[in-house]
Amino acid sequence: MYSAAEENYLKALLSLANEQHEVSVNELSKRLEIKMPTVNSMMKKFAEKGLVHFESYKPIRLTAEGKRLAALIVRKHRLTEMFLYEKMGFGWEEVHEIAEQMEHIQAPKLFEKMDEILGFPKFDPHGSPIPDAHGLLETPDYTPLSGFNAGDSVKLMAISDSSESFLRFLNQKHLQLGTLIHIKSKETYDGSIRICIGDGPVEMLSRHVTERLMVLPV
């Protein structure tokens, strides 16, 4: 059994891992807002427990066991978000903070029952994949809206920013998962995009927003 602090380290490592599955101590320190000497000390403990490969001044890599445990923490978080959204009527902008607390509950049967009640969902309310009971995580091949151009039509599949302020902004724009988006024009200077949702009014979205909207072409 691991502490909430240790689980937060594992989850951050999984989230930050690049294509080479590596994370720098500096990146981890910034993500968790913890001083680097403290991070180094924790990584030494993780290495002793077989959760990471770690050497001073080199990137950190999760071991297979470390990845599995991290994915299971993410699973609890995303199942909780889905349960709150689907069964309890919370908005997608409300579920993250509650799930942050519940992900540390050590009660496997609780999350197994959640999964069953929900019908074994593959994605959470923000479109993020839910790892399976073995810690296997499939990453869908989505593209940011910022990568498309005038004349393209896409479907909103996921959000890479689950902050309450961003999701409330999307609510105001009537942007939800499954929404069909038609790109009317794209500014060369700053990458901002004019979009139309169905027969609704034209909206302008900044690049800051479009980089966080994960879509598929239709």
Side-chain angles (χ1 to χ4, degrees), residues 93 99 108 110 118 173 185 189 194 200 216:
E93 75 281 3
L110 170 65
L118 289 166
K173 299 295 184 182
S185 65
Y189 175 69
R194 292 173 66 246
L216 283 178

Side-chain angles (χ1 to χ4, degrees), residues 1-212:
M1 186 178 297
Y2 296 92
S3 68
E6 288 174 322
E7 290 188 338
N8 286 336
Y9 271 99
L10 285 169
K11 192 171 67 166
L13 283 165
L14 185 66
S15 173
L16 289 168
N18 59 25
E19 292 181 357
Q20 286 74 44
H21 308 291
E22 296 178 338
V23 181
S24 72
V25 172
N26 185 48
E27 286 177 309
L28 189 56
S29 173
K30 288 181 178 178
R31 169 63 66 89
L32 295 172
E33 298 181 345
I34 296 173
K35 293 180 179 179
M36 288 180 63
T38 304
V39 173
N40 274 311
S41 177
M42 181 63 80
M43 290 305 99
K44 289 177 183 177
K45 293 179 181 178
F46 273 17
E48 291 171 359
K49 294 178 179 180
L51 301 178
V52 300
H53 298 291
F54 175 68
E55 296 179 49
S56 297
Y57 309 110
K58 291 186 178 181
I60 308 157
R61 289 186 293 116
L62 282 165
T63 63
E65 177 63 6
K67 289 177 186 176
R68 186 186 72 84
L69 291 175
L72 290 178
I73 298 163
V74 172
R75 171 179 168 79
K76 290 190 290 182
H77 182 105
R78 293 177 180 173
L79 278 174
T80 298
E81 288 191 333
M82 200 61 178
F83 191 84
L84 292 168
Y85 179 75
E86 287 285 345
K87 300 300 181 181
M88 300 189 71
F90 283 85
W92 67 341
E93 75 281 3
E94 299 176 295
V95 299
H96 180 73
E97 290 303 320
I98 301 172
E100 282 283 299
Q101 300 174 57
M102 289 190 65
E103 71 186 29
H104 301 300
I105 294 174
Q106 304 299 327
K109 288 185 178 180
L110 170 65
F111 296 98
E112 289 171 12
K113 181 58 69 172
M114 273 188 191
D115 198 18
E116 180 184 342
I117 290 172
L118 289 166
F120 309 102
K122 299 295 185 184
F123 299 93
D124 75 5
H126 311 115
S128 299
I130 299 174
D132 69 16
H134 304 290
L136 296 178
L137 176 63
E138 294 185 14
T139 304
D141 188 20
Y142 300 148
T143 303
L145 179 59
S146 57
F148 290 84
N149 297 298
D152 291 336
S153 294
V154 299
K155 184 177 182 179
L156 181 58
M157 302 300 296
I159 310 297
S160 64
D161 178 354
S162 59
S163 65
E164 181 177 349
S165 58
F166 184 66
L167 294 172
R168 288 193 182 280
F169 170 82
L170 297 185
N171 287 344
Q172 293 172 0
K173 299 295 184 182
H174 304 290
L175 284 165
Q176 302 174 346
L177 298 189
T179 297
L180 295 178
I181 299 170
H182 308 289
I183 301 175
K184 307 295 287 185
S185 65
K186 184 174 183 179
E187 293 292 336
T188 303
Y189 175 69
D190 62 1
S192 58
I193 290 176
R194 292 173 66 246
I195 67 165
C196 186
I197 302 172
D199 297 324
V202 172
E203 299 278 1
M204 181 68 80
L205 300 178
S206 69
R207 188 175 184 87
H208 176 81
V209 172
T210 61
E211 287 177 342
R212 289 158 174 76

